[in-house]
Amino acid sequence: MPYLNRYEFIGNLTKAPELRLRPADGKQALCLLNVAINRDTRDEAGEKRTRTTYINDIEVWGPPGEACAHFLTVGSLVFVEGRMDIDRWQDRKSGAPRQRMKVVAEYVQFLRIRGLAAGGAPPAPAAEADPPPARRPA
C-alpha cells in the first residue's frame, strides 16, 4: 500500500531565519524558519476576515538552508514543500517524554524577499533578489 507524506504551503516569515550549524564545523547547515499562513474568509455579513496559522519548526538542511539564511528576512513570502516529521526526546528536568511536529523542507522557493528595517543590513541587490529555488540534495 502506498503512503503519502507531502506538505505544501505559501506564507510569510514571522521572524528571521536561524542558521544553527555552520559548514565550517564540518557539519551540514540547518536553517529554522517560522512561517505564518493567512486564510481569507467572509463572515455572515460578508466582511472579509483573515485567519492566521503559524507554522513553527520548519527545517531546511544543507545548501538550501544556507540560501534561506542568506536571502530571507522577516516578511519574505516563501513556498515550502516538504514532509511532516516528529521529534521525540525526554525532558531533562522531569524525564517526561516530549514530542513536536515539524516540517522538513525539501524545496523552498523565494516568492518575495522583504528588505530589512532601517538600521539593518541592506536587502540583496536586484541581481540576487530572485535566486534559484533551494532544493535539498537527494
Side-chain angles (χ1 to χ4, degrees), residues 19-101:
L19 189 61
R20 286 265 177 103
L21 303 175
R22 304 199 189 282
D25 299 338
K27 298 179 181 176
Q28 192 174 32
L30 166 64
C31 184
L32 299 178
L33 303 177
N34 292 317
V35 177
I37 303 169
N38 295 326
R39 181 171 179 238
D40 293 333
T41 59
R42 302 232 177 239
D43 62 12
E44 297 86 23
E47 296 293 319
K48 180 180 171 183
R49 298 213 180 240
T50 300
R51 189 170 144 202
T52 302
T53 304
Y54 292 95
I55 304 297
N56 294 317
D57 302 322
I58 300 166
E59 295 181 349
V60 188
W61 288 90
E66 293 176 53
C68 288
H70 179 73
F71 289 105
L72 298 177
T73 60
V74 175
S76 295
L77 186 67
V78 293
F79 167 74
V80 178
E81 178 183 329
R83 60 183 165 79
M84 297 297 290
D85 203 355
I86 298 176
D87 274 342
R88 291 183 174 94
W89 71 97
Q90 274 194 324
D91 189 284
R92 289 183 185 179
K93 292 181 181 179
S94 68
R98 300 283 205 185
Q99 67 180 21
R100 70 180 171 118
M101 294 289 293

Side-chain angles (χ1 to χ4, degrees), residues 4 11-12 15 26 48 58 69-70 76-77 102 107 109 120 128-129:
L4 180 65
N12 296 90
K15 66 181 199 178
K48 180 180 171 183
I58 300 166
H70 179 73
S76 295
L77 186 67
K102 66 181 178 182
Y107 177 77
Q109 183 176 1
E128 295 180 356

